[in-house]
Amino acid sequence: MATAALRFPPFLSSRAAPKTTAAACTRRTASATLRVAALPESAPVSAPASTSEERPEFSPPAGFAPPVPKRFAVKDGQLASVAGAALALPFRLGTGLFVLGYSVSLVSADKIPSDQYSLEFLGLKVKETSKIDQCRRPEKPIEIYEFEGCPFCRKVREMVSVLDLDVLFYPCPQKGPTFRPKVLEMGGKKQFPYMVDPNTGVAMYESDAIIKYLADTYGDGTVPIMLSLGLFTTITAGLAMIWRVWKGSSYTVSKLPPQPIEIWAYEGSPFCKIAREALVELELPHLLHSCARGSPKRQEIFKKHGLFQAPYIEDPNTGVKMFESAEIVEYLRATYTLYPQYQNL
């Protein structure tokens, strides 16, 4: 789905630096009491009457060069992180790995053009199909306020992957100063996840209710079995994160960019999870382009780069485009962390 460029109003383009460590953890900035929304580039936005702060300028770290993508490679020192993130696969039986109605077959290599994304296996090519093209697609990205370390949030993210949706995520890590207070203002509770659908005007809490709404509105009405087992679903979603329980949950003092970072990722991938943990900890809004197996968005990346690999990010604030989860984390921290000593290593 083609989406318009997104940006934030000027009053959300920066965060004031805290004066003390305590202030960094507990402050509520002025932006927390204002409507947080991504606006189409053509939408008029009135400038604030006056401000003593200058908009922070963002640029890649000195000497930065995007890494060469290496499929299925794990960077030295990252094996434990990837293994911990991969623990979700057996607990959740692969939910979020495949889009709705996914099916696969082996065909001869000449049946799929060389400029079309596909896997190869024993001299044959893997033909993947799904029901996504039969489902309604939202014109504007759905907005979800959540954080990585929450099992209820994970359930909703899995459904987002199944339905191949584009979602504008507003991260709400513990002690995050910007978007947690906004959820309280909008819905009356600091409860997560919280969804706002600008296409229908619907706003709601409760993960199961959100999953059912998404299935009815943007799917065929069915909910995958592993997302429909009540307490068992929640328990296994929690166990799926047991080795990464504190990752993606705590706020790292950071600078808020004027535009959301775009990321192509999906919930079933341990590499994508590691990259998203950093985005959440830094409270960086990001436009997620879901691309689980069977997603047509895999072809978009393949057409651009001659390969598909996730995660992949495009940062409109710096112009950086890159693959490789470990290097993405390093880039995000180097670019957006306000003080290095606050990094969640």
Side-chain angles (χ1 to χ4, degrees):
M1 180 185 75
T3 57
L6 299 172
R7 60 189 173 87
F8 296 107
F11 47 69
L12 286 177
S13 61
S14 63
R15 292 191 182 107
K19 294 181 180 179
T20 66
T21 303
C25 295
T26 61
R27 76 190 191 286
R28 289 189 181 183
T29 64
S31 63
T33 62
L34 297 168
R35 169 66 176 152
V36 179
L39 304 177
E41 199 164 60
S42 58
V45 178
S46 56
S50 63
T51 179
S52 59
E53 295 180 21
E54 293 183 1
R55 173 179 292 189
E57 294 183 1
F58 297 94
S59 58
F64 173 82
V68 176
K70 300 175 182 178
R71 299 191 68 188
F72 308 117
V74 178
K75 187 177 180 180
D76 290 345
Q78 294 295 310
L79 183 59
S81 295
V82 174
L87 191 62
L89 297 176
F91 279 115
R92 299 295 300 142
L93 299 184
T95 308
L97 279 175
F98 309 101
V99 300
L100 181 70
Y102 177 79
S103 64
V104 61
S105 60
L106 291 175
V107 299
S108 59
D110 61 350
K111 295 293 184 181
I112 299 179
S114 59
D115 61 351
Q116 185 175 330
Y117 168 74
S118 67
L119 295 176
E120 295 189 15
F121 180 73
L122 298 177
L124 301 173
K125 286 193 174 182
V126 179
K127 182 179 181 180
E128 299 173 286
T129 59
S130 73
K131 294 181 180 178
I132 289 300
D133 60 354
Q134 303 170 25
C135 299
R136 173 187 175 187
R137 300 291 82 188
E139 293 183 7
K140 300 176 183 178
I142 296 164
E143 301 172 15
I144 298 180
Y145 297 74
E146 55 89 57
F147 61 100
E148 184 69 27
C150 166
F152 302 99
C153 300
R154 180 185 175 90
K155 289 161 55 179
V156 171
R157 294 195 306 267
E158 287 179 349
M159 194 62 184
V160 165
S161 288
V162 169
L163 296 177
D164 199 42
L165 296 173
D166 285 357
V167 172
L168 182 56
F169 280 106
Y170 291 105
C172 300
Q174 298 286 342
K175 300 181 180 179
T178 308
F179 303 117
R180 273 187 169 250
K182 185 59 192 173
V183 170
L184 177 61
E185 178 189 327
M186 290 189 298
K189 296 183 289 185
K190 274 191 181 180
Q191 179 177 311
F192 306 94
Y194 181 69
M195 184 205 72
V196 177
D197 187 347
N199 304 283
T200 62
V202 170
M204 62 197 310
Y205 292 99
E206 299 297 339
S207 57
D208 289 340
I210 293 172
I211 288 168
K212 186 66 170 67
Y213 167 82
L214 294 175
D216 291 342
T217 309
Y218 300 111
D220 62 1
T222 61
V223 175
I225 184 66
M226 284 300 290
L227 287 171
S228 59
L229 299 177
L231 181 60
F232 181 77
T233 294
T234 302
I235 291 173
T236 56
L239 291 173
M241 300 180 291
I242 194 168
W243 292 110
R244 306 286 296 172
V245 65
W246 298 117
K247 297 295 184 179
S249 297
S250 300
Y251 174 59
T252 297
V253 183
S254 60
K255 300 168 286 188
L256 180 67
Q259 298 184 71
I261 294 164
E262 295 191 57
I263 179 169
W264 281 256
Y266 59 104
E267 188 61 25
S269 164
F271 299 98
C272 295
K273 176 175 174 57
I274 289 170
R276 243 190 56 87
E277 286 171 351
L279 287 165
V280 173
E281 290 170 358
L282 294 167
E283 206 185 31
L284 297 175
H286 48 284
L287 178 59
L288 173 78
H289 301 284
S290 298
C291 54
R293 295 228 64 93
S295 169
K297 295 170 198 161
R298 293 189 168 221
Q299 176 62 23
E300 297 174 9
I301 301 301
F302 186 81
K303 185 176 180 180
K304 283 184 179 181
H305 299 283
L307 59 88
F308 172 81
Q309 185 173 308
Y312 167 73
I313 69 166
E314 293 186 358
D315 187 345
N317 305 287
T318 62
V320 165
K321 301 177 181 181
M322 63 186 295
F323 295 94
E324 296 297 330
S325 58
E327 283 81 357
I328 287 173
V329 171
E330 292 173 358
Y331 161 77
L332 292 172
R333 289 179 173 172
T335 304
Y336 293 105
T337 301
L338 195 57
Y339 299 123
Q341 62 265 36
Y342 290 118
Q343 290 189 40
N344 294 336
L345 300 175

